[in-house]
Amino acid sequence: MLRNFRGKWGKSLAVALAVSGLLVFAGCGNKKAQQKAPAAVAVKTMQVIKRDTPNVHEFTGFVEAQQEAKLTANVSGKITGKYFNGGDRVEAGQVLFTIDQRTYKANLLNAQAGLAAARTEYNRLAADAERYKKLYEQNAVSKQQYDLVMAQRDSAQAQVAAHEAILENAQISMGDTEVRAPFSGRISTSDLSVGNFVAAGQTVLATMSNTNPVRIKFSMSENEYLQLSKAHSDSGAKALEDLKLVLSDGSIYTGAGVVDQVDREIGSGTGALTLKARFSNDDNRLMPGMFARLQANAGTVKNAMLIPQRAVKEMLYKKFVFTVGSDNKVDMKEVTLGARVGKLWLVEAGLNGDETLVVEGVQKVNKGSEVKPAAMTEADLSNESKQ
């Protein structure tokens, strides 16, 4: 009897352990199933926008003076006069500084005296040469005497030329004691004033710049340059000859600019080409160093595809967007972008135009992710930026 009881109890225990094992296995299976099926990611999406769009390329740049010069004195000495205020507009040839003239005036007087003495000596020897020439023709003096007088006259003539050069140099130095504006323009503020000593060719007295017209220095990619060099606006103007200038406060500068300088090569490190555009500056509103945005109008793109800038993800110098399919699964597509249009990018290639894009939550998804999309509109882009 005891043996039968033990056999039944052993069988019951074995069945219980087997059932427990199945339950544990089933529990583990359910956990694995839950891990393989993560919750859908909440994102905001938008349809690709399609409409006729001005193809306006925008570039950032800085204002440069047409001409700029650092003024230095050609003579050394103390400043004895300063005839402008910092920031003044000065005219070409206007006297800006005077340097102590006493030494240079003495050198000038000495050079004048030396030249006068040399000319007197030359005149005396020239008269002797005339007399000896006649005497030689009459065989009254020897050839040796005649040649000696002629050599003395020629030497005196050379001395006159040498003293003329000394006088000219003294006159130049005397003139250089007045530092004049090399062109018309605006002059910088200067800490140098009367009494300061300046070294010839070393001490910068002030900086001048001619700011009408001015140039805007900016860069663009090789592909943009190739496109814009042959593009025209809807009015027929060449894209690089009808540039608009937007100032840092958002105001549009009156008047169009034209590219008049293109660098000789593409930058090896940046792959960009440097250009300069010329703008008139009659009211002196533009100043060197100012930040500016240039806009080049390349005409209207019919039925253009536009996508939000925040929908674009950059990886390894390539641009990608995440699209959402009818099954709410995410796919990744590489796109080629054109000009900026407000908060949007103009798409040149990579999309068909009927895609739904992930706009908010781009960093949370990958190809194959399941998402829970919430639609947003173009107006929402502006509203969110104000919040």
Side-chain angles (χ1 to χ4, degrees):
M1 181 122 183
L2 180 59
R3 182 180 297 174
N4 290 339
F5 175 77
R6 288 178 178 175
K8 290 180 180 179
W9 183 84
K11 289 180 181 179
S12 300
L13 179 60
V15 170
L17 291 173
V19 171
S20 298
L22 290 172
L23 292 174
V24 171
F25 179 79
C28 292
N30 289 336
K31 288 182 179 179
K32 290 182 179 179
Q34 291 174 359
Q35 291 174 354
K36 290 182 179 178
V41 180
V43 296
K44 291 185 179 181
T45 61
M46 182 186 294
Q47 290 287 124
V48 174
I49 302 168
K50 297 186 73 175
R51 61 170 177 249
D52 294 349
T53 304
N55 187 11
V56 178
H57 295 249
E58 188 168 281
F59 310 96
T60 58
F62 293 90
V63 178
E64 287 187 344
Q66 181 193 27
Q67 292 178 283
E68 187 169 288
K70 294 185 181 299
L71 304 181
T72 59
N74 291 329
V75 295
S76 299
K78 288 185 178 181
I79 297 174
T80 56
K82 180 180 177 181
Y83 307 103
F84 68 91
N85 292 316
D88 281 354
R89 176 173 176 79
V90 297
E91 301 301 322
Q94 178 179 332
V95 177
L96 305 176
F97 294 94
T98 53
I99 310 298
D100 189 353
Q101 298 180 345
R102 291 174 297 177
T103 298
Y104 303 101
K105 188 173 183 179
N107 291 340
L108 177 61
L109 293 173
N110 187 51
Q112 290 172 338
L115 177 59
R119 284 175 174 169
T120 299
E121 180 65 8
Y122 169 73
N123 291 335
R124 183 182 70 79
L125 292 174
D128 287 347
E130 284 297 319
R131 289 194 299 271
Y132 271 78
K133 181 180 179 181
K134 293 177 181 179
L135 292 173
Y136 177 70
E137 290 172 351
Q138 298 171 2
N139 295 320
V141 294
S142 67
K143 181 70 165 58
Q144 183 179 7
Q145 291 176 308
Y146 172 72
D147 290 341
L148 177 61
V149 172
M150 292 298 112
Q152 290 174 337
R153 181 204 61 184
D154 293 343
S155 178
Q157 187 175 26
Q159 286 297 313
V160 170
H163 280 277
E164 286 176 341
I166 293 172
L167 175 60
E168 183 178 4
N169 187 58
Q171 290 171 332
I172 292 172
S173 295
M174 184 64 183
D176 285 340
T177 59
E178 292 183 339
V179 180
R180 299 176 179 268
F183 51 80
S184 298
R186 181 172 290 179
I187 194 164
S188 66
T189 57
S190 173
D191 292 332
L192 293 179
S193 57
V194 174
N196 280 271
F197 184 88
V198 297
Q202 297 181 28
T203 307
V204 177
L205 300 171
T207 301
M208 274 193 63
S209 59
N210 182 346
T211 56
N212 189 22
V214 295
R215 285 189 169 90
I216 312 297
K217 182 179 181 180
F218 65 104
S219 299
M220 67 174 63
S221 69
E222 179 181 353
N223 288 337
E224 286 176 316
Y225 176 71
L226 293 175
Q227 291 176 15
L228 292 175
S229 61
K230 59 185 178 182
H232 294 75
S233 65
D234 293 335
S235 63
K238 292 183 178 180
L240 295 179
E241 295 182 2
D242 189 28
L243 300 174
K244 301 300 180 186
L245 179 59
V246 183
L247 301 179
S248 58
D249 62 356
S251 61
I252 306 297
Y253 184 74
T254 303
V258 55
V259 170
D260 66 347
Q261 291 187 23
V262 179
D263 204 356
R264 62 184 180 86
E265 62 180 0
I266 303 291
S268 58
T270 62
L273 182 66
T274 300
L275 305 92
K276 292 185 180 182
R278 185 181 70 251
F279 282 81
S280 61
N281 190 28
D282 296 335
D283 59 358
N284 293 312
R285 187 181 178 192
L286 302 178
M287 298 177 64
M290 287 179 99
F291 172 82
R293 301 199 310 273
L294 289 175
Q295 294 180 343
N297 191 333
T300 299
V301 179
K302 299 296 183 182
N303 205 25
M305 290 185 291
L306 301 169
I307 62 174
Q309 292 177 14
R310 68 181 74 170
V312 178
K313 186 173 183 178
E314 184 173 350
M315 292 185 291
L316 299 176
Y317 304 103
K318 294 184 178 181
K319 308 293 193 304
F320 297 89
V321 294
F322 292 108
T323 62
V324 180
S326 57
D327 59 354
N328 288 340
K329 293 292 182 68
V330 173
D331 192 11
M332 179 184 287
K333 292 186 177 182
E334 183 180 352
V335 292
T336 302
L337 303 177
R340 292 177 184 266
V341 182
K343 298 181 181 298
L344 307 173
W345 278 115
L346 190 152
V347 179
E348 296 180 346
L351 298 177
N352 297 322
D354 57 357
E355 292 89 350
T356 299
L357 305 180
V358 176
V359 178
E360 296 291 344
V362 172
Q363 304 302 327
K364 298 186 293 183
V365 299
N366 289 299
K367 184 175 182 179
S369 299
E370 184 175 353
V371 296
K372 183 179 180 181
M376 62 185 297
T377 65
E378 184 178 355
D380 294 330
L381 297 175
S382 299
N383 292 336
E384 289 188 7
S385 66
K386 296 177 181 179
Q387 295 176 356

